[in-house]
Amino acid sequence: MEFKGRNTIQEGRLLDSETPWAERYEFLKRSGYLLRPRYRPGWVAPWKLKPRLYSNDFEEGISSSRTALMDAQRLSDGKTIYLKHTKKDSPEVEIGQYLSSEELRNNPRNHCLPVLEVLRNEDDPEHVLLVMPWLRRIDSPEPASVRECVDFVQQTLEGLTFMHEHKVAHRDCAWGNIMMDGRRLYPQGWHPQQWGFYPNGKVMRGDEPSRTGVGGVRYYLIDFGISTKGQDETLGIHGQELSPELSDTVPYNPYKLDVYILGMTYQHFLIERHLGLDFLLPFIEYMTPKNPSERPSAAEALQRWNKIAQEMSFFTLSQRLYPRKAEPRSGLSQTLKDTSYRVRDLWWTATASKKPSRPLP
């Protein structure tokens, strides 16, 4: 399938997933959003104009394989946003707008991706296009220290507690539905369809940037397609995490479900991928009993986490992480590298952390 798609691109044709977006080009332009050149009416692939040219040599050769999502440029300020095509009665529309209301959006504890605008196309009356800020995957780059993992837990727990206080349950807060504002990490930007490329399609080179070194990043919960508002019980088996209570027939508490899923997010994204984080295991166990009645609320979990985090020493927080799949290393060279990282961590936390957070578009 991938080979077939690559052939389609080299032949200068759009993928099937891209055709609907090309058809929306003029509507989006009238609405204030510009798709990339490959979706323009009458587009001709530049590598087809001369022999011995390849799609890989051009930004216009970067495709999008996701039918429901597309990047665009906001004409008013040139910022990159993303567009999501969804049913007009999807929970994501109502709940996204509610969490993006002026009263809630400006609350620093709100870690829900804001909906900037809802576009309605008369040619597609059963669907809407949600306009949202463009974010970056949380594993690109991976967290590099215990401090960065502690910050991830703090922000996501804080965000979940905020949602629950406003009677919204996410129901799918797995790590695939958590993203980060990567603008501090990549001030030159990145290609919205290829994380390892600059916006012009050129490959990024050099060392990966440090979250701590740029003063930290902000995390956001995304995708409210199966979320609920004001419901203490719900039904459904959808979601990325196979939680024990999921059922189409037996009602369950969606708030306790969220606590379980977020606990398993820490297990999958942190514990299973990195060495040096075993101190999280008791806290994960606290969040993930199979019986929902034995789980804490999000607020209770956050309260316990705050106590754990406050007791962590600089020595623990500045510990470098190593991939769990990597071979264990020791010796003088490794000790020097670890010590060097701690020194940089001390400098970063004394300086970069003072940088104010930039608002999303």
Side-chain angles (χ1 to χ4, degrees), residues 319-331:
Q319 178 182 321
R320 292 176 69 197
L321 296 184
Y322 294 95
R324 187 165 287 276
K325 62 183 179 181
E327 292 291 330
R329 298 181 180 180
S330 59

Side-chain angles (χ1 to χ4, degrees), residues 37-48:
R38 80 182 264 113
Y39 307 114
R40 289 180 310 204
W43 173 74
V44 176
W47 55 90
K48 299 295 291 182

Side-chain angles (χ1 to χ4, degrees), residues 52-308:
R52 293 186 294 278
L53 293 179
Y54 298 93
S55 59
N56 290 343
D57 299 326
F58 296 86
E59 185 280 329
E60 293 171 54
I62 298 177
S63 62
S64 174
S65 60
R66 303 183 68 176
T67 306
L69 291 174
M70 179 57 71
D71 59 283
Q73 182 186 65
R74 189 162 61 187
L75 289 172
S76 61
D77 56 13
K79 291 184 177 179
T80 300
I81 53 85
Y82 86 77
L83 302 163
K84 184 171 185 177
H85 184 255
T86 189
K87 292 182 178 179
K88 66 179 183 180
D89 57 355
S90 167
E92 189 157 21
V93 180
E94 178 187 355
I95 291 176
Q97 289 183 296
Y98 170 67
L99 293 169
S100 304
S101 62
E102 186 174 353
E103 177 187 0
L104 300 186
R105 181 178 174 179
N106 295 326
N107 191 310
R109 298 168 59 237
N110 186 350
H111 288 267
C112 302
L113 181 65
V115 174
L116 305 176
E117 188 176 1
V118 179
L119 303 179
R120 292 175 170 82
N121 187 350
E122 61 182 17
D123 293 334
D124 187 11
E126 297 304 311
H127 296 84
V128 296
L129 292 170
L130 302 181
V131 182
M132 304 180 186
W134 189 261
L135 300 179
R136 191 172 177 89
R137 289 174 57 105
I138 58 175
D139 62 345
S140 180
E142 296 275 0
S145 69
V146 170
R147 184 187 306 281
E148 294 176 2
C149 295
V150 167
D151 184 47
F152 174 75
V153 174
Q154 181 74 35
Q155 290 193 42
T156 49
L157 264 179
E158 182 180 73
L160 190 65
T161 301
F162 178 85
M163 287 178 58
H164 289 185
E165 287 175 359
H166 291 85
K167 304 301 181 183
V168 175
H170 191 288
R171 297 181 60 204
D172 195 18
C173 49
W175 80 266
N177 280 334
I178 302 173
M179 299 188 77
M180 65 181 176
D181 180 1
R183 290 174 299 164
R184 284 182 172 177
L185 293 169
Y186 300 94
Q188 296 179 342
W190 64 92
H191 196 282
Q193 298 295 340
Q194 290 283 358
W195 308 102
F197 289 70
Y198 289 112
N200 62 5
K202 302 299 181 182
V203 177
M204 291 181 177
R205 304 189 186 280
D207 296 335
E208 291 184 333
S210 161
R211 287 165 164 82
T212 308
V214 298
V217 298
R218 186 169 175 84
Y219 298 100
Y220 289 88
L221 292 156
I222 69 166
D223 196 348
F224 298 90
I226 60 172
S227 299
T228 55
K229 184 176 182 295
Q231 298 181 22
D232 292 331
E233 290 188 331
T234 192
L235 294 170
I237 59 173
H238 300 292
Q240 299 176 44
E241 184 64 45
L242 298 177
S243 307
E245 66 263 43
L246 293 181
S247 172
D248 276 334
T249 57
V250 180
Y252 55 86
N253 184 318
Y255 305 108
K256 292 298 182 75
L257 172 68
D258 277 353
V259 172
Y260 178 90
I261 295 174
L262 194 58
M264 293 307 296
T265 289
Y266 304 149
Q267 174 70 28
H268 298 320
F269 178 59
L270 300 179
I271 294 292
E272 293 176 6
R273 297 164 68 96
H274 306 94
L275 297 169
L277 297 173
D278 288 350
F279 70 91
L280 284 172
L281 288 173
F283 184 68
I284 293 171
E285 292 174 2
Y286 168 67
M287 293 180 66
T288 58
K290 289 187 176 181
N291 187 340
S293 64
E294 298 175 5
R295 297 172 201 157
S297 66
E300 290 168 339
L302 178 60
Q303 185 177 27
R304 176 173 289 202
W305 173 254
N306 286 336
K307 293 180 180 178
I308 294 172

Side-chain angles (χ1 to χ4, degrees), residues 339-357:
T339 302
S340 173
Y341 184 87
R342 292 188 195 278
V343 171
R344 282 180 287 155
D345 181 89
L346 176 62
W347 170 252
W348 289 333
T349 54
T351 56
S353 61
K354 297 177 183 178
K355 294 179 181 177
S357 179

